[in-house]
Amino acid sequence: MTNLLSNVRSFLRSIMKTLFEIIRTGRKSNYTSKTVTLAIIHFDGQNFDELIRTYREELKAASIIVAKNVPPELVKAYKNVFHSKDIVLLGKEIYVRGSNVDFAKEVQVNKLRSFEKRRLHVLVTDNKKTAWMISQMFPFYCVCPGEPFEETVITAPIPLTRNSDGYYFSKVPYRSQVTLIDLNIDIIREFSK
């Protein structure tokens, strides 16, 4: 009986904490878990059907999908894979869908502050230097996807990176593939306080 009462109290406390957070901020937090799975699609433009078939499970597991040179029409053609995912596609035009990720072309303080107020923790850029600068001034993971045979990087504030260089992840993909990375959102939240 005592354990049951204790569990009920704990449950009620967590509900009250969530309600007070919603009242305080005006909305629920974007991320409720400690980690967010990010999928980066490295696409060489050859066979998108094969890429989806090969990496279907990885794409379903991801919360955020970032790709370069993938037209939005292909995303619409695979609704079952991309359903309820936050997506940023870099190409001739920038395609952004979802509320947990956005695109920043350059360092514009007012725009970055608005992303910070929205409690975003993941930004996508198309320039490695811009990504690094943003992560050093604001509490964001910045993703800069490269094409196959070019470097793809994720930056973070220097204290959060292993080598203290501002680069959280770096990879050169050699063909069409999908890279999964788990980003610890709690670390960015703590850093932003």
Side-chain angles (χ1 to χ4, degrees), residues 10-193:
S10 174
F11 177 71
L12 289 174
R13 270 191 221 117
S14 70
I15 289 175
M16 293 303 290
K17 185 177 179 182
T18 304
L19 286 174
F20 285 128
E21 180 67 18
I22 291 169
I23 291 168
R24 186 177 67 79
T25 62
R27 62 190 174 103
K28 196 170 181 178
S29 174
N30 288 344
Y31 301 111
T32 55
S33 66
K34 292 182 180 187
T35 59
V36 170
T37 303
L38 171 73
I40 302 174
I41 299 175
H42 312 281
F43 182 53
D44 62 6
Q46 295 300 316
N47 190 346
F48 196 68
D49 296 331
E50 179 66 29
L51 179 79
I52 294 295
R53 248 190 324 274
T54 305
Y55 295 101
R56 179 177 230 95
E57 294 305 315
E58 287 85 349
L59 293 170
K60 282 186 175 182
S63 305
I64 299 172
I65 297 175
V66 176
K68 196 166 188 174
N69 299 329
V70 175
E73 319 61 84
L74 290 177
V75 171
K76 293 173 185 169
Y78 290 95
K79 289 179 188 175
N80 59 340
V81 175
F82 296 108
H83 177 70
S84 74
K85 307 288 184 196
D86 292 334
I87 299 173
V88 175
L89 304 178
L90 300 180
K92 292 178 184 172
E93 294 180 16
I94 308 299
Y95 175 80
V96 178
R97 185 182 82 193
S99 61
N100 296 325
V101 65
D102 216 316
F103 176 79
K105 182 158 184 69
E106 55 192 26
V107 181
Q108 294 176 335
V109 176
N110 292 338
K111 189 172 185 179
L112 294 171
R113 289 253 184 255
S114 72
F115 290 152
E116 195 174 21
K117 288 177 184 173
R118 281 178 41 199
R119 295 183 181 210
L120 282 181
H121 299 297
V122 180
L123 284 180
V124 178
T125 68
D126 56 3
N127 182 299
K128 182 178 166 181
K129 290 178 183 177
T130 302
W132 189 88
M133 287 172 41
I134 290 171
S135 286
Q136 302 323 307
M137 295 188 313
F138 293 92
F140 297 124
Y141 287 111
C142 285
V143 182
C144 182
E147 307 214 15
F149 302 101
E150 291 182 8
E151 186 178 32
T152 292
V153 297
I154 297 177
T155 60
I158 283 178
L160 306 183
T161 58
R162 286 183 213 110
N163 298 335
S164 297
D165 61 357
Y167 293 100
Y168 187 81
F169 171 85
S170 176
K171 180 179 184 174
V172 176
Y174 296 104
R175 58 185 171 82
S176 289
Q177 63 189 54
V178 174
T179 303
L180 286 182
I181 299 122
D182 288 329
L183 300 176
N184 189 329
I185 299 303
D186 276 353
I187 291 175
I188 291 287
R189 282 184 189 143
E190 289 300 317
F191 188 77
S192 66
K193 290 181 182 177

